[in-house]
Amino acid sequence: MEFEEAPSPVDPEVRAYVYSLVSALGGTGTDEDGRYILGDDALACLKDLKKWLKLYDEKANRLDVARCLAEANLVEGDLLEILGAWPEDGTEDKVKLKIALSCLELLVPLTWPMEKNDSQMTVNHHRHVPYIQLAQSSYKRAILDSQSKTILRTAVRIGLPSIAIPMSERTTRDEGIIKLILYLFRNLSIISTSGESKEGPTSRSATIEAFHHQDVLALILTICSNMGEDFNTQDMVILELLFHLLKGVSPEKLFMDQAQLQKHGSNELGALLAKEKNMHRSYAKNAPSRHNRFGTMIWVKRDEPGKVSTVSGQDSLKDGQHALSKMDQSKKWNRPKQRSREVEKANDRFDVPVTLTNNANTHLRAFIEEFLDSGFNPLFNHVRRAIEREADRVFEIHTQQFFYLISWFLEAERVRRRKKHEAEKKSKNNKIAETFEADSFALVASVLTQETFVLLNRFMQDRLDMKAWREVNAGTMCFTQILLIVQDMAESSLEEDQEIAENIQNRIFYEETTHDRIIAILRGYKDQGFGYLDSCTELSHVFLRMLERYARENVDLQVRSKRRARKKRKQKAAAASNNGDAEAAANDDDDGGSEMEDVAEAERVSRERKFDFNRFASKFMTQSCIDTFVAFTKFYSDLNTEQLKRAHRFFYRVAFKQELSVMLFRIDIFALFNRMIKGPEPLDRTSPVFGEWDELVRQLIKRMVKKMQERPELAVEMLFSKIPSTVFYLEYGYEKQTMSSKPRAPATLEVRGAMTREEQIGVVVAALYENKLESVDWVMKVLSTAASERQSWEAESAARCAENDSSSETTGPEAKAPSIAVTPDTEERRIAVFKDAKLRLLMTLVGFERLGIDDVPDATWIIPSAITARQLHETHDVIEKHRNDPIMEYGEEDPMTADEMLRRKPTEKVRRAAYDDDLSGDDGIVSDGNDDDLLFPARGPTDTGPWTAAAALEKLRQKRRRRKDKPTSDNEDGVGGLDDETRELRRKAREAKDLKKREMFKSAEFVYDSDDDPEVDRLFFEREEMRRTGHAKRVMEVLKAGMVEGKGKRKNDDDKVKSKEQSKRRKFSSESESERDEDVRMAEDSLSPRIQELSDGTESEGEDTPLSTPLDEVPQEKILRDIPINVRGSNDDSGRKKAVVFDRPDENGGGSEKEDEASVVMPSRRRHRAAMVLESDSD
């Protein structure tokens, strides 16, 4: 039977060409003792092979040439032989150097990692990739195992001449050679064999040892320490090389010595044995004995009638609970299929732990210590700058590797310092301690700058928005290590480190967006894997602890929060809003842009507020955050002590610090806690955290029982997650009251400029034409329907009037047409009627009216009865005209669109009444906060008299002219005047004086007649008449007595009388002019003609009558009311009038010894003065 040969995966013609080139390259011969002999055209063959790889595989996106070279064993049989045969002292041979460089140019593409997505894979790729990956593992094994040939050292020797050239003098070829050897090292570090032990030929340990022995690590240190000075474009290659060397390596184990490693290994072995013992112990409780090891199968009845479940095993016979538990374990959940996600590249994973051999651990630790001392700051500072400016050599994967390496090296620095401090404590070598402390944290200062924090925050936020969880994990680990290193700096003995740590914490905790991002990362966990779960819980734990401590030390901590704020566009100028002309509108448009008055622009604004830690910590008390820590706690059997403490501290904070233990009252959470304490597979009782977990679970169960007695509803709520309203009800026993805000109506719009009603309707229709034309059609439809209805009513009303006229019946007033309700046709239209300001403006212009005072969404719009059918038809025609031919621009010089022609209608300020109780101050005086609104405003000018408005204005103008013409003291020529400061002071003084005058003014405009009461008026006038009669009688008696006493006055007392008169005049002269005039008028009106005649007839021969006794000499009960007296017709020889003043008589009817004669005194002014009239006790 003949078998058909399987078809070749590669084109035979391509295979023939490639094989012929490999054969012509060279080979081993028997005459040369098995040494490799180059062919005559070896260099040309190498160049041709490189062309085949580039032009056939890369251009055609195929792998045929690489497959042929792997089958031909080119790398192990030819390239490595050529490189190994190049002697160290043969660098002067240019031909051999070119051949070695050509071999290197072939090794780099052949060892390039094969990482392609499913969308990029073709049939050719699926056919060749597995074979090529196996071939690459063999390439790496051959390169690393060639200890005698030292292939890696040869590659370093190839690049040394280019490295020795200064960067400013290097050519493009030199830069390419350096990159070529670095890419070879990078490729070798990436290639790995899955499932290989730590001592395998292609393992990480073998790679590190080969790099150490062949000076690759030394070359990396040289390039890193001189990055930015002698090297520029090699930073990203070095970054990738370090990432693939260090990913998965534990810094904690790296800095352990041999004894510590052995102790740690024994501890791990003991922990595994203890875990196995616990498993056996839990199994032995229900394990069958040697007498009942036979198979058992039972049926368990289910709730559904006639249905049973099968359970096997003798442990099911113990009790029903075991049977049900075993039945639950046999259940399988058919998880719904999700859409296929993009498979992440395996080479980029950094959460897979890697174990190193002792030798590799030693070599790598030495390299890391030297790198931290010399190369960390230059390399990472240069890489950060390249990432910030988005250089062409930077890819997305580089940012993830950058932040992961920062976290790794910061953790390594922390571990190194701790280990060194512990060693110093043992050796008590203070000198070394001082030297070490003097170095401080400057070795890692390049990643503790503000630029790094900004880049990290932006990277985390962008990747969180894109849900790139692996990159978010890298940023999370970096941020956690930065916080931990800052915490160590704060605890340092150097003041400089403490100040730097204080500054960094202030900058980190100042941004509230950072707080929110931490919470979002914790809430965002679903099924991203244990690595992401571990890093996000660690970040939240460290951030909470440090922020709590910092907030406790800084009571007045301020944070900058960003909120959504609604910012109105700029307001229009007053002139443009009042005049509305085109030029003013254009100027306003330049200032405020195209204003959409009803649309508010939302932007992010920042403001500072005081930080409240309890408020921030409460954001972690959500169900999603608790679910994340519950998912983390489910791995309790695999968690170390620190991780178990982390979960315990979070649940303790939820239940006791925040007093939200209700959030933990769930069946699944209590089942998890019970399994951790009671089993099966419980925590190890010898664990340091077992006692803390046991106490926490007991306290939670105690609180749950107590709360269930208070709230029986908790028995049902334990089955579900808790929302905030449920938590509030379970805590306080009643539902939380919430206030719903009423929707606000949009601002009222108006049309710019002086336009007719038809033109305004055209502007609004044009503004609605683009996106809301259906609203215009709806208004036209409403107008058409209303016009028909109104026309029918008018016809019916006219017919009714004609019928009444024919019957000659008298009718009442003509009835008004009923209002027509405007009903929206759809729900969207109803919302638009309330929300759309343009539609509301159109409805207002066509005559629609809104009923009610409050502008609410359900307000009713009507067509009033005053609008006739003819007007409705005209309005409909106007809208239809502008709908068919809208005018989109207005103006000629600077045209404005229809939207720009609309503006917000200025709101009128509501002036409250002066007697509003809400505006009263503490002193009881009513004030509305405006000094110009006085209680009694001054009255306006009168129409007659000299103080008219025109006269006052003319007087003011004359006064200004005189002031302008008058020269000042500073400028005698009259040029210039007072300075601005003096004018401002005088203006303020005038305003203050005027304000004080207006405050004291009591206007008669606010005096109103009260209600008339005849009886009250009659009694008032009777009392006034009695008072006037009594006064007249007393005046007559006094006048008579005064005239009698005046005749017996002695002449020698005239001087004394005159002196008293003068003092009395000085006393009266202090009175105001208004009071004296008022007294004169009162005296003239009070005296009767009879009294005036009597006074005129009793004047003496031209002598002045002296004043009476002063008031202080008169008893208080003797003083009568002031009676103004004006003596008419009393003239002296010169024609001047005289005033008669009378003295008080004594008890016997006569005057005093000093005043036994009355004299007539001449007044000092033409106006007459009132006098005081006193009466005797005898009266």
Side-chain angles (χ1 to χ4, degrees):
M1 183 177 180
E2 297 181 358
F3 296 95
E4 296 182 359
E5 186 178 357
S8 176
V10 181
D11 186 4
E13 187 176 356
V14 174
R15 185 188 298 274
Y17 276 109
V18 172
Y19 277 13
S20 62
L21 291 174
V22 172
S23 300
L25 183 59
T28 58
T30 56
D31 55 346
E32 298 293 339
D33 299 332
R35 291 184 292 106
Y36 188 87
I37 304 300
L38 287 173
D40 296 336
D41 296 329
L43 183 60
C45 292
L46 292 172
K47 292 182 178 180
D48 290 344
L49 289 174
K50 186 175 67 172
K51 290 180 181 179
W52 271 96
L53 280 173
K54 184 175 182 179
L55 298 179
Y56 191 85
D57 278 6
E58 294 182 10
K59 296 293 183 180
N61 193 21
R62 299 176 65 88
L63 299 175
D64 294 342
V65 177
R67 173 72 177 266
C68 293
L69 293 178
E71 294 176 352
N73 196 19
L74 173 68
V75 175
E76 298 181 25
D78 297 281
L79 299 183
L80 297 184
E81 294 291 341
I82 295 174
L83 290 175
W86 188 35
E88 295 184 2
D89 55 353
T91 54
E92 301 298 332
D93 192 346
K94 301 297 183 182
V95 177
K96 291 186 177 181
L97 179 61
K98 290 182 179 180
I99 293 175
L101 184 60
S102 299
C103 293
L104 201 61
E105 290 177 347
L106 278 175
L107 274 178
V108 171
L110 290 176
T111 56
W112 202 272
M114 295 289 176
E115 289 289 344
K116 293 183 179 294
N117 299 327
D118 292 338
S119 59
Q120 301 174 347
M121 296 285 285
T122 62
V123 176
N124 183 270
H125 294 156
H126 283 288
R127 183 181 297 130
H128 299 309
V129 164
Y131 188 89
I132 294 177
Q133 287 179 343
L134 291 176
Q136 287 180 346
S137 297
S138 63
Y139 298 162
K140 180 178 180 180
R141 186 184 305 109
I143 293 173
L144 298 181
D145 287 344
S146 302
Q147 297 292 339
S148 59
K149 298 178 181 178
T150 62
I151 303 300
L152 300 179
R153 183 172 295 166
T154 302
V156 173
R157 287 193 294 116
I158 293 174
L160 283 179
S162 300
I163 295 174
I165 301 175
M167 184 176 63
S168 59
E169 300 178 4
R170 289 185 197 140
T171 61
T172 306
R173 180 176 179 275
D174 295 328
E175 295 288 347
I177 292 173
I178 298 175
K179 276 190 176 182
L180 198 64
I181 60 175
L182 292 178
Y183 274 122
L184 175 63
F185 302 151
R186 192 278 313 261
N187 296 343
L188 294 177
S189 65
I190 292 177
I191 297 174
S192 62
T193 303
S194 60
E196 190 176 11
S197 64
K198 65 178 181 180
E199 298 179 355
T202 60
S203 63
R204 187 80 58 85
S205 299
T207 305
I208 294 173
E209 291 182 12
F211 282 5
H212 171 73
H213 290 300
Q214 301 186 35
D215 300 332
V216 176
L217 296 180
L219 176 64
I220 296 174
L221 282 175
T222 303
I223 295 176
C224 291
S225 59
N226 294 277
M227 187 64 64
E229 298 179 359
D230 294 332
F231 303 95
N232 186 21
T233 60
Q234 294 81 14
D235 48 0
M236 295 303 162
V237 187
I238 295 292
L239 187 74
E240 291 186 51
L241 177 57
L242 291 175
F243 173 77
H244 293 291
L245 279 179
L246 301 176
K247 63 179 181 180
V249 178
S250 174
E252 187 74 27
K253 296 181 181 179
L254 185 64
F255 284 90
M256 292 181 181
D257 54 15
Q258 190 68 25
Q260 291 175 343
L261 282 175
Q262 292 179 357
K263 183 179 179 180
H264 181 75
S266 62
N267 291 338
E268 286 185 347
L269 179 59
L272 292 175
L273 292 175
K275 185 182 298 184
E276 184 182 11
K277 186 176 180 181
N278 289 333
M279 293 174 59
H280 286 299
R281 185 185 299 113
S282 61
Y283 175 74
K285 292 180 180 180
N286 303 316
S289 63
R290 66 187 183 93
H291 297 290
N292 54 4
R293 293 179 181 175
F294 304 103
T296 303
M297 179 176 292
I298 62 173
W299 285 348
V300 180
K301 292 184 178 181
R302 296 164 58 179
D303 294 337
E304 295 85 351
K307 292 187 178 181
V308 294
S309 296
T310 304
V311 180
S312 61
Q314 289 189 356
D315 53 347
S316 304
L317 299 176
K318 184 177 181 180
D319 54 18
Q321 183 64 32
H322 282 79
L324 295 176
S325 177
K326 198 160 189 179
M327 185 174 63
D328 291 338
Q329 293 176 2
S330 63
K331 293 179 180 178
K332 187 177 181 180
W333 178 42
N334 295 325
R335 188 172 184 176
K337 294 183 179 180
Q338 299 179 354
R339 60 180 183 179
S340 59
R341 294 181 299 179
E342 184 177 353
V343 179
E344 297 178 346
K345 297 180 180 180
N347 292 334
D348 298 333
R349 295 191 60 182
F350 48 80
D351 52 358
V352 179
V354 176
T355 306
L356 300 179
T357 61
N358 295 334
N359 292 334
N361 195 74
T362 303
H363 300 325
L364 184 61
R365 180 172 65 247
F367 168 76
I368 294 301
E369 290 182 349
E370 294 182 8
F371 178 81
L372 286 172
D373 293 338
S374 61
F376 180 84
N377 283 337
L379 175 64
F380 281 88
N381 191 28
H382 198 270
V383 171
R384 177 185 56 79
R385 292 178 179 178
I387 293 175
E388 286 178 347
R389 65 175 178 266
E390 297 180 356
D392 295 338
R393 63 182 183 276
V394 178
F395 299 102
E396 291 184 0
I397 193 61
H398 292 150
T399 311
Q400 170 190 326
Q401 296 173 353
F402 172 71
F403 288 115
Y404 173 77
L405 287 178
I406 289 178
S407 66
W408 197 96
F409 281 108
L410 288 181
E411 184 180 1
E413 176 66 16
R414 290 177 51 247
V415 173
R416 182 176 72 150
R417 293 175 66 89
R418 188 177 72 250
K419 296 292 183 181
K420 199 166 187 178
H421 184 65
E422 293 174 356
E424 289 165 0
K425 280 186 177 181
K426 294 180 180 180
S427 61
K428 296 182 180 181
N429 191 348
N430 297 328
K431 185 176 180 180
I432 298 178
E434 292 176 0
T435 305
F436 178 71
E437 290 293 339
D439 294 339
S440 184
F441 290 87
L443 299 178
V444 293
S446 62
V447 297
L448 299 178
T449 60
Q450 183 66 17
E451 292 81 2
T452 305
F453 298 152
V454 172
L455 181 63
L456 176 60
N457 289 330
R458 185 169 63 245
F459 170 76
M460 293 176 65
Q461 188 62 48
D462 293 344
R463 299 308 185 268
L464 185 63
D465 295 339
M466 294 187 298
K467 297 184 178 181
W469 301 117
R470 180 177 291 179
E471 299 179 359
V472 173
N473 190 12
T476 301
M477 297 173 64
C478 177
F479 194 68
T480 303
Q481 294 302 323
I482 288 177
L483 291 177
L484 292 175
I485 202 75
V486 170
Q487 182 179 355
D488 293 344
M489 293 175 64
E491 298 173 356
S492 176
S493 59
L494 296 180
E495 294 183 0
E496 183 181 359
D497 289 343
Q498 295 177 4
E499 293 177 359
I500 295 174
E502 179 72 18
N503 187 18
I504 293 175
Q505 290 183 84
N506 189 18
R507 284 183 291 177
I508 291 176
F509 298 142
Y510 178 66
E511 296 291 343
E512 193 179 30
T513 53
T514 304
H515 306 177
D516 298 337
R517 189 180 304 113
I518 302 301
I519 300 172
I521 291 173
L522 185 64
R523 291 177 179 176
Y525 172 76
K526 289 184 179 179
D527 53 353
Q528 290 89 342
F530 181 77
Y532 180 89
L533 185 61
D534 183 30
S535 62
C536 71
T537 53
E538 183 182 10
L539 174 60
S540 61
H541 173 70
V542 173
F543 191 84
L544 267 175
R545 287 177 56 245
M546 290 188 61
L547 183 56
E548 183 179 13
R549 182 185 307 171
Y550 188 77
R552 191 184 304 115
E553 296 174 355
N554 300 270
V555 181
D556 298 330
L557 176 62
Q558 300 288 325
V559 295
R560 181 172 63 182
S561 59
K562 292 187 177 182
R563 294 289 182 265
R564 302 291 297 184
R566 301 185 66 82
K567 180 181 179 183
K568 305 293 184 183
R569 292 181 183 267
K570 296 181 180 180
Q571 299 295 333
K572 290 178 168 44
S577 61
N578 295 332
N579 301 331
D581 54 343
E583 183 178 358
N587 295 334
D588 183 71
D589 181 70
D590 294 339
D591 295 336
S594 58
E595 280 200 355
M596 296 298 296
E597 301 295 351
D598 186 46
V599 180
E601 184 182 58
E603 64 174 6
R604 302 291 292 188
V605 296
S606 301
R607 62 183 181 88
E608 287 189 355
R609 64 173 179 84
K610 188 175 181 180
F611 178 73
D612 185 6
F613 178 77
N614 291 329
R615 178 184 175 188
F616 169 70
S618 63
K619 296 181 180 179
F620 284 87
M621 307 302 119
T622 58
Q623 202 65 57
S624 55
C625 295
I626 293 176
D627 291 342
T628 302
F629 271 91
V630 169
F632 180 69
T633 313
K634 289 180 180 179
F635 296 94
Y636 66 90
S637 59
D638 300 325
L639 301 181
N640 55 28
T641 303
E642 294 297 329
Q643 293 170 334
L644 288 173
K645 283 184 179 180
R646 184 193 312 164
H648 175 271
R649 298 299 184 270
F650 179 80
F651 291 128
Y652 179 82
R653 182 183 296 276
V654 173
F656 300 102
K657 285 190 175 182
Q658 298 295 326
E659 294 294 337
L660 289 175
S661 55
V662 179
M663 300 291 293
L664 302 179
F665 293 166
R666 275 173 28 195
I667 295 296
D668 58 336
I669 296 178
F670 277 105
L672 173 63
F673 290 167
N674 183 70
R675 188 167 65 251
M676 292 175 63
I677 304 301
K678 302 296 183 182
E681 300 180 5
L683 281 174
D684 186 10
R685 292 185 175 272
T686 60
S687 175
V689 295
F690 180 82
E692 298 178 2
W693 275 99
D694 189 17
E695 183 66 21
L696 174 65
V697 173
R698 286 196 306 104
Q699 294 296 332
L700 281 177
I701 294 176
K702 186 184 299 184
R703 287 200 173 192
M704 185 267 294
V705 173
K706 183 179 178 180
K707 182 64 68 174
M708 188 171 292
Q709 293 174 356
E710 297 176 359
R711 309 277 187 269
E713 301 87 353
L714 182 60
V716 179
E717 292 296 337
M718 288 188 67
L719 300 173
F720 310 100
S721 299
K722 312 295 187 300
I723 59 177
S725 59
T726 305
V727 173
F728 187 88
Y729 175 77
L730 293 176
E731 285 288 342
Y732 302 102
Y734 58 90
E735 295 183 356
K736 188 176 182 180
Q737 302 296 327
T738 57
M739 300 296 294
S740 59
S741 60
K742 295 182 180 180
R744 296 179 57 186
T748 305
L749 303 182
E750 66 178 6
V751 183
R752 297 174 182 266
M755 290 188 176
T756 62
R757 175 173 167 271
E758 295 183 1
E759 293 174 343
Q760 293 180 6
I761 292 176
V763 172
V764 181
V765 170
L768 293 170
Y769 190 82
E770 293 294 336
N771 301 322
K772 302 175 182 179
L773 189 59
E774 64 277 2
S775 299
V776 179
D777 296 337
W778 173 74
V779 174
M780 293 176 58
K781 180 180 178 182
V782 172
L783 287 174
S784 178
T785 306
S788 301
E789 183 177 347
R790 186 60 54 84
Q791 188 174 3
S792 301
W793 188 91
E794 290 176 354
E796 181 182 356
S797 179
R800 190 182 301 109
C801 292
E803 182 179 355
N804 294 335
D805 293 341
S806 62
S807 60
S808 302
E809 294 179 358
T810 57
T811 59
E814 183 178 357
K816 294 183 178 179
S819 300
I820 301 175
V822 178
T823 305
D825 53 353
T826 60
E827 180 66 19
E828 291 78 7
R829 191 85 62 223
R830 185 187 69 83
I831 298 175
V833 168
F834 177 72
K835 289 290 187 181
D836 194 349
K838 298 177 184 178
L839 177 59
R840 291 164 66 96
L841 177 59
L842 179 60
M843 295 172 65
T844 305
L845 290 175
V846 300
F848 295 176
E849 293 182 359
R850 178 177 52 82
L851 296 180
I853 300 177
D854 298 333
D855 194 355
V856 295
D858 296 331
T860 303
W861 289 75
I862 62 170
I863 300 176
S865 57
I867 301 179
T868 62
R870 178 173 172 273
Q871 294 174 345
L872 292 175
H873 280 298
E874 291 177 353
T875 305
H876 179 274
D877 295 340
V878 170
I879 297 178
E880 187 176 9
K881 170 187 173 183
H882 288 286
R883 185 195 183 282
N884 296 332
D885 187 14
I887 302 176
M888 294 300 181
E889 292 185 353
Y890 293 86
E892 297 179 356
E893 296 182 358
D894 191 4
M896 300 175 64
T897 63
D899 288 335
E900 295 172 347
M901 287 296 295
L902 301 179
R903 65 181 178 187
R904 183 191 298 272
K905 187 176 181 180
T907 57
E908 299 179 358
K909 296 183 178 180
V910 180
R911 296 178 61 89
R912 296 189 177 183
Y915 49 81
D916 195 345
D917 296 339
D918 296 338
L919 304 177
S920 299
D922 297 336
D923 53 356
I925 299 176
V926 179
S927 174
D928 60 351
N930 191 356
D931 295 338
D932 296 336
D933 299 336
L934 299 175
L935 184 62
F936 296 102
R939 299 181 63 184
T942 57
D943 295 336
T944 59
W947 296 101
T948 59
L953 184 60
E954 183 62 27
K955 184 177 179 180
L956 182 61
R957 290 175 180 172
Q958 293 176 2
K959 185 176 180 181
R960 289 178 177 175
R961 291 193 195 102
R962 290 196 300 268
R963 185 184 303 170
K964 182 177 180 181
D965 297 338
K966 182 179 179 181
T968 61
S969 59
D970 298 336
N971 190 353
E972 298 298 336
D973 297 336
V975 180
L978 300 176
D979 55 355
D980 295 339
E981 184 178 359
T982 306
R983 291 194 185 96
E984 183 66 20
L985 292 175
R986 291 187 177 183
R987 184 187 63 80
K988 292 182 178 180
R990 288 195 302 271
E991 291 180 355
K993 184 178 180 181
D994 181 67
L995 179 61
K996 184 176 181 182
K997 183 178 179 181
R998 291 169 60 190
E999 288 176 349
M1000 296 175 62
F1001 197 98
K1002 297 184 179 180
S1003 177
E1005 293 181 359
F1006 294 90
V1007 180
Y1008 301 95
D1009 293 336
S1010 59
D1011 297 336
D1012 295 333
D1013 191 350
E1015 183 64 20
V1016 175
D1017 294 343
R1018 185 182 62 80
L1019 295 175
F1020 173 79
F1021 289 118
E1022 286 181 0
R1023 287 194 301 270
E1024 292 296 316
E1025 183 65 25
M1026 292 174 63
R1027 290 173 182 172
R1028 283 194 294 270
T1029 305
H1031 283 197
K1033 289 180 181 181
R1034 285 192 292 273
V1035 169
M1036 290 298 299
E1037 292 174 359
V1038 172
L1039 288 175
K1040 291 178 182 180
M1043 287 185 295
V1044 173
E1045 294 178 2
K1047 296 178 181 181
K1049 290 289 180 181
R1050 292 187 299 271
K1051 187 69 176 177
N1052 54 3
D1053 294 333
D1054 290 345
D1055 296 335
K1056 297 179 179 181
V1057 174
K1058 289 180 180 180
S1059 63
K1060 291 182 179 181
E1061 174 65 22
Q1062 292 175 1
S1063 63
K1064 196 68 176 180
R1065 288 179 182 176
R1066 286 193 299 269
K1067 181 178 181 181
F1068 282 119
S1069 63
S1070 62
E1071 298 176 1
S1072 63
E1073 187 66 21
S1074 60
E1075 294 178 353
R1076 290 196 294 269
D1077 295 343
E1078 186 69 16
D1079 295 340
V1080 171
R1081 289 193 296 270
M1082 292 176 62
E1084 292 175 354
D1085 296 337
S1086 301
L1087 294 178
S1088 62
R1090 184 171 178 274
I1091 297 175
Q1092 296 173 2
E1093 292 173 0
L1094 180 60
S1095 302
D1096 294 339
T1098 56
E1099 283 189 356
S1100 60
E1101 55 275 5
E1103 295 180 357
D1104 293 339
T1105 304
L1107 292 173
S1108 60
T1109 306
L1111 291 177
D1112 53 1
E1113 298 179 6
V1114 180
Q1116 192 70 19
E1117 65 273 5
K1118 306 294 184 179
I1119 301 176
L1120 299 177
R1121 295 186 179 93
D1122 297 343
I1123 302 178
I1125 301 176
N1126 186 13
V1127 181
R1128 301 176 185 271
S1130 177
N1131 299 327
D1132 59 358
D1133 297 338
S1134 61
R1136 293 181 297 180
K1137 293 184 179 181
K1138 296 179 292 185
V1140 181
V1141 182
F1142 305 97
D1143 296 315
R1144 176 182 63 84
D1146 56 5
E1147 296 179 358
N1148 298 326
S1152 62
E1153 294 180 359
K1154 296 181 180 180
E1155 298 178 354
D1156 53 350
E1157 181 178 359
S1159 302
V1160 178
V1161 183
M1162 293 299 295
S1164 61
R1165 297 182 60 179
R1166 294 180 59 87
R1167 293 185 178 181
H1168 302 285
R1169 186 188 304 110
M1172 297 292 293
V1173 180
L1174 308 177
E1175 63 179 354
S1176 173
D1177 294 341
S1178 61
D1179 296 337

